Amino acid sequence: DSAIETADLADLKARTFGTLSGGEQARVLLGRALATNARILLADEPVAALDPYYQLTIARILKDQAQAGKPVIAALHDLALAANMADRVIVLKDGEIFADGPPGDVLDDKTTEQVFKVRRPLAGWHIAKPV
C-alpha cells in the first residue's frame, strides 16, 4: 500500500500491465521496486521516453528515497536531470570513470566537452518541483 501511494498508482490497480502506457508502466515498475523494500534502489534510465511530468515525478520519488537514507543508483543520460537531482555523479568514458563528485564539480565545461562533446548543456535549465 505504501509503494502504491508513493508511486501514485491507486488509479492503475485494476488494470493489467499490458494495457498501461509507457509512463504508467514505468511508475508500476518503480512501485514494484519500492514494494520490495530493497536496501538499495538501482534504476537504469528510469525516466527514458517519459513526458516531462513523469520524468520529474519519478526523479522526485527517487530523490525522496535517497533523502530518507536509501542508497539510489541511477544510470541517466539526461545531464540536466542528473545535475538537479543527484548528490553525486560518476561520468563514464569508454567504460572507465572519467569524473566523480558533486554534480556542480563534475558536470563542468571540460568534462561535458571531452565526454559528451557539448558545451554548457545545463545553461538555463531549472527543474521545478512537480505539483
Side-chain angles (χ1 to χ4, degrees):
D1 288 338
S2 175
I4 288 171
E5 182 179 333
T6 299
D8 191 22
L9 300 172
D11 59 326
L12 305 178
K13 284 173 63 172
R15 295 178 53 197
T16 61
F17 191 76
T19 66
L20 303 176
S21 71
E24 291 167 336
Q25 288 180 354
R27 287 172 38 218
V28 167
L29 292 173
L30 176 58
R32 183 174 73 175
L34 294 173
T36 68
N37 203 25
R39 289 185 319 112
I40 299 172
L41 284 175
L42 300 174
D44 184 14
E45 292 293 343
V47 299
L50 298 180
D51 65 43
Y53 176 81
Y54 285 113
Q55 287 180 359
L56 296 175
T57 299
I58 287 176
R60 176 57 51 199
I61 291 168
L62 293 173
K63 178 84 171 176
D64 289 347
Q65 291 292 305
Q67 288 176 335
K70 183 173 294 226
V72 176
I73 301 169
L76 298 169
H77 284 96
D78 185 327
L79 301 181
L81 188 62
N84 283 284
M85 300 307 287
D87 297 321
R88 176 180 173 196
V89 172
I90 299 173
V91 176
L92 301 177
K93 181 178 181 183
D94 301 323
E96 308 258 338
I97 295 176
F98 184 87
D100 179 0
D105 296 343
V106 170
L107 296 175
D108 61 6
D109 288 340
K110 176 187 169 197
T111 300
T112 57
E113 187 168 349
Q114 289 182 2
V115 176
F116 304 108
K117 299 176 179 62
V118 295
R119 289 189 186 153
R120 298 211 177 263
L122 309 177
W125 284 89
H126 299 282
I127 296 179
K129 188 173 181 177
V131 225

